[in-house]
Amino acid sequence: MLDRTSNQPVLPPEIDRRRTFAIISHPDAGKTTLTEKFLLYGGAIQMAGQVRAKGEARRTRSDFMQMEKDRGISVSASAMSFEFRDYWFNLVDTPGHSDFSEDTYRTLTAVDAAIMVIDGAKGVESQTQKLFEVCRMRDMPILTFCNKMDRESRDTFDIIDEIQENLAIDVSPASWPIGVGREFMGCYDLLNDRLELMDRADRNVVSDSIKISGLSDPKLAEHVPAHLLEKLLEEIEMARELLPELDHQAFLDGTMTPIWFGSAINSFGVQELMDGIGTYGPKPQVRPAAERQVLPDEKKVSGFVFKVQANMDPKHRDRIAFVRLCSGHFKRGMKLTHVRTKKPMAIASPMLFLASDRELAEEAWAGDIIGIPNHGQLRIGDALTEGEALHFAGIPSFAPELLQSVRSTDPMKAKHLDKALNQFAEEGAAKLFKPAIGAGWIIGVVGALQFEVLASRIELEYGIPVRFEPTQFTSARWLNGPQDKVDSFINVNKGHIAHDHDGDPVFMTRLQWDIDRVERDYPDLKLTSTKEMLVI
């Protein structure tokens, strides 16, 4: 396992202060609300939005699609950069809904750490567990925030036990809640010996912080009612005996998670969590490429595209490639080589994001996430460097679990539909398959809600009403093997063959029997349900 502290060189100060992280959770655990509060504390917005805004009330800044605003859910990862104390945070808010998990998986390739948000009443839920496993595969450091403590929630020890058992990770409490539900009044900060009190009256203020000299300080009794204080002292004594102290190296290795308790909607516990990210979170990490390891302090700039978003600004039909910088000091106007096409690209108007707001980035450093406007040249998995041919590994593309054919209900707009579908395929919002026999397209997605999102976006952004219809196929597998064997297989099985957006051959199946037949009759061929988006 990578020793993340001793192997890492001393970084230039600007790179050293970068913290790039994603927020993951099950839907409705409070992830987008927490993101809003991060922006509030970072001074990026003056008043945090509500996810389900009433009338003209503030909308959240990290949900920019119409459907996200209507439904109060995140369906697309969004990136935000802002300053907090001495640190520069690059935060990626990911969709919690399992139908959009592929977007989340790809986003996790671009960050150095993750914040796992858990609902105090529900504990570890299914989607949290899935996303945690992705982080575990990458040995990613994880900080945990137990949210909604101001509602009726479970016993603190129960929550910690569940995390330890279900996720097989050590948990070290960074704070301890005082009371639960209606009695919840704040937390004791175990890392700094501070009493943090929550203000229920104003959700947009920083909580009061009272410096305490240890748990025997008589000042505690002035602020905490006797019955809650007795319970607090008893629980902290038990916690110190039963639970491990925070070990920074174990956290960086991904085997221990510190946990903070709070209420994001009441702005409580958020600042302590942000301090924790700054103090304990990993600096920009070494990135694996097919050729070699890329160090963040290298002089030459390199980075990779982990997300493409079309029409963030519907008026301009724009396409933004989100690039994670892996090394060097980037300056606006630089010429970088687009490794796939081997062509130079002048990056004239790179952007930093505050959700859908954006500003020109005059410079950026390793660890930062910048947006590059382009007209379809950049795809997910593409590398940009100062000349060296690097291919960054580990950006997955998953076989879709649902397949439907799509047609425009207005036959005059069929050509425009081709263009719209190609854009969504480049974005990674759906898989696009062109059958070898017959006209039309087959669309593949991971979850049913994606069909709704696609239909809504095609109509809103392109003015094309569409209809999705069932197809005879139930799954798709990429074909790999010696070229001559692949070609002869395609000739014999034309009715089952399609090509994906990149032109790679795909075997469309109706039953598991189809897959078993190929594996039995064609031992030289391999059918895969994932494809590395690494273009060599």
Side-chain angles (χ1 to χ4, degrees):
M1 198 177 281
L2 199 66
D3 179 348
R4 294 167 189 261
T5 45
S6 54
N7 280 359
Q8 187 112 337
V10 176
L11 295 172
E14 274 301 332
I15 298 177
D16 195 64
R17 75 189 193 106
R18 259 62 188 167
R19 299 289 182 271
T20 305
F21 56 94
I23 301 188
I24 61 171
S25 82
H26 195 82
D28 282 338
K31 180 163 44 64
T32 300
T33 307
L34 182 63
T35 303
E36 290 290 304
K37 300 300 179 170
F38 272 34
L39 297 177
L40 178 73
Y41 281 113
I45 55 175
Q46 300 308 307
M47 175 182 161
Q50 292 172 288
V51 178
R52 289 187 175 82
K54 294 187 177 74
E56 290 301 304
R58 284 294 301 231
R59 294 283 184 194
T60 57
R61 303 301 287 270
S62 57
D63 287 346
F64 56 83
M65 280 186 199
Q66 191 57 45
M67 188 169 188
E68 295 179 307
K69 293 170 183 172
D70 294 344
R71 288 196 178 204
I73 58 168
S74 299
V75 300
S76 176
S78 53
M80 285 143 275
S81 300
F82 56 95
E83 213 152 358
F84 175 72
R85 305 208 199 283
D86 298 331
Y87 302 102
W88 182 262
F89 282 179
N90 295 298
L91 156 64
V92 186
D93 176 28
T94 61
H97 203 290
S98 59
D99 284 10
F100 304 96
S101 50
E102 190 169 349
D103 200 20
T104 304
Y105 292 146
R106 279 200 296 265
T107 299
L108 290 172
T109 62
V111 296
D112 300 310
I115 293 172
M116 179 167 68
V117 184
I118 284 176
D119 183 322
K122 295 175 184 164
V124 178
E125 295 172 89
S126 57
Q127 186 63 9
T128 314
Q129 199 147 355
K130 274 190 199 166
L131 294 170
F132 177 83
E133 288 308 323
V134 178
C135 297
R136 150 116 346 128
M137 276 156 40
R138 310 186 71 243
D139 292 332
M140 188 180 280
I142 291 176
L143 304 97
T144 303
F145 183 70
C146 187
N147 193 22
K148 303 189 182 181
M149 294 304 291
D150 56 323
R151 301 185 189 178
E152 287 314 316
S153 57
R154 287 159 51 183
D155 176 74
T156 311
F157 283 105
D158 279 355
I159 293 167
I160 290 174
D161 282 349
E162 187 177 350
I163 297 169
Q164 292 192 143
E165 280 173 32
N166 286 15
L167 305 179
I169 190 168
D170 291 332
V171 179
S172 175
S175 69
W176 200 267
I178 304 169
V180 290
R182 285 189 181 155
E183 281 200 310
F184 179 70
M185 59 175 298
C187 283
Y188 187 78
D189 181 342
L190 290 162
L191 299 176
N192 302 297
D193 272 329
R194 278 197 308 236
L195 185 63
E196 307 288 350
L197 298 177
M198 184 173 83
D199 183 344
R200 281 179 187 260
D202 188 346
R203 291 175 161 180
N204 287 315
V205 297
V206 179
S207 55
D208 282 338
S209 189
I210 298 150
K211 190 75 184 157
I212 302 284
S213 3
L215 288 163
S216 52
D217 193 323
K219 260 199 292 188
L220 269 171
E222 293 170 26
H223 299 282
V224 183
H227 70 291
L228 289 179
L229 180 57
E230 187 183 341
K231 189 166 187 274
L232 174 72
L233 296 174
E234 190 182 304
E235 286 185 345
I236 288 180
E237 192 179 334
M238 276 173 68
R240 284 189 165 152
E241 278 181 31
L242 298 171
L243 299 168
E245 266 187 56
L246 181 57
D247 176 335
H248 193 213
Q249 188 57 51
F251 159 67
L252 291 175
D253 289 341
T255 59
M256 174 182 280
T257 178
I259 185 167
W260 283 264
F261 295 85
S263 163
I265 199 145
N266 287 299
S267 305
F268 182 76
V270 179
Q271 193 170 332
E272 292 69 43
L273 174 63
M274 291 172 82
D275 283 333
I277 297 162
T279 309
Y280 303 104
K283 299 160 186 178
Q285 294 293 303
V286 174
R287 290 271 141 189
E291 294 77 10
R292 62 183 183 82
Q293 300 275 309
V294 178
L295 303 175
D297 65 330
E298 289 175 19
K299 290 282 182 281
K300 291 197 168 177
V301 172
S302 68
F304 65 89
V305 178
F306 68 93
K307 177 182 169 61
V308 174
Q309 185 73 48
N311 305 335
M312 275 178 82
D313 181 350
K315 293 188 198 86
H316 293 106
R317 282 267 178 273
D318 62 346
R319 298 167 57 70
I320 306 289
F322 287 73
V323 174
R324 154 75 194 228
L325 291 177
C326 302
S327 64
H329 178 198
F330 169 84
K331 295 188 182 79
R332 183 158 82 91
M334 268 182 122
K335 272 199 172 157
L336 295 177
T337 300
H338 180 206
V339 173
R340 177 166 54 86
T341 61
K342 302 182 176 59
K343 287 181 181 168
M345 274 183 88
I347 316 294
S349 43
M351 294 168 187
L352 283 174
F353 297 99
L354 177 66
S356 56
D357 294 347
R358 50 183 89 167
E359 57 183 59
L360 273 179
E362 292 300 330
E363 60 173 1
W365 297 80
D368 282 341
I369 288 167
I370 59 170
I372 299 178
N374 70 102
H375 295 288
Q377 302 98 309
L378 292 175
R379 291 189 195 171
I380 292 166
D382 278 356
L384 292 168
T385 69
E386 282 192 70
E388 188 181 352
L390 289 172
H391 301 90
F392 290 96
I395 302 166
S397 181
F398 298 97
E401 291 168 24
L402 299 167
L403 296 166
Q404 291 198 356
S405 60
V406 59
R407 65 185 54 211
S408 166
T409 52
D410 179 350
M412 304 298 288
K413 293 191 169 170
K415 256 207 179 115
H416 298 296
L417 178 61
D418 287 2
K419 188 179 172 191
L421 292 174
N422 272 293
Q423 293 217 348
F424 288 127
E426 279 170 22
E427 217 181 273
K431 296 286 177 295
L432 187 59
F433 302 114
K434 185 77 173 166
I437 295 174
W441 297 96
I442 292 176
I443 300 288
V445 297
V446 176
L449 186 56
Q450 281 178 286
F451 284 126
E452 278 185 59
V453 172
L454 277 175
S456 154
R457 285 188 64 193
I458 291 169
E459 187 150 7
L460 277 170
E461 295 170 21
Y462 295 91
I464 308 169
V466 294
R467 190 167 69 233
F468 286 103
E469 295 169 347
T471 171
Q472 58 172 323
F473 301 115
T474 56
S475 69
R477 293 288 182 271
W478 281 282
L479 267 173
N480 295 293
Q483 194 58 51
D484 58 329
K485 300 277 198 261
V486 170
D487 290 343
S488 63
F489 176 81
I490 288 173
N491 284 333
V492 179
N493 294 277
K494 275 216 163 72
H496 282 263
I497 298 296
H499 287 85
D500 71 6
H501 173 69
D502 299 316
D504 292 330
V506 177
F507 181 62
M508 311 296 280
T509 72
R510 287 174 297 212
L511 305 161
Q512 180 61 36
W513 182 85
D514 289 329
I515 296 172
D516 295 341
R517 176 180 68 84
V518 174
E519 286 173 352
R520 185 187 67 233
D521 296 349
Y522 297 89
D524 295 326
L525 296 184
K526 199 170 171 213
L527 297 179
T528 60
S529 57
T530 58
K531 177 174 99 164
E532 279 265 305
M533 297 177 91
L534 178 148
V535 194
I536 299 182

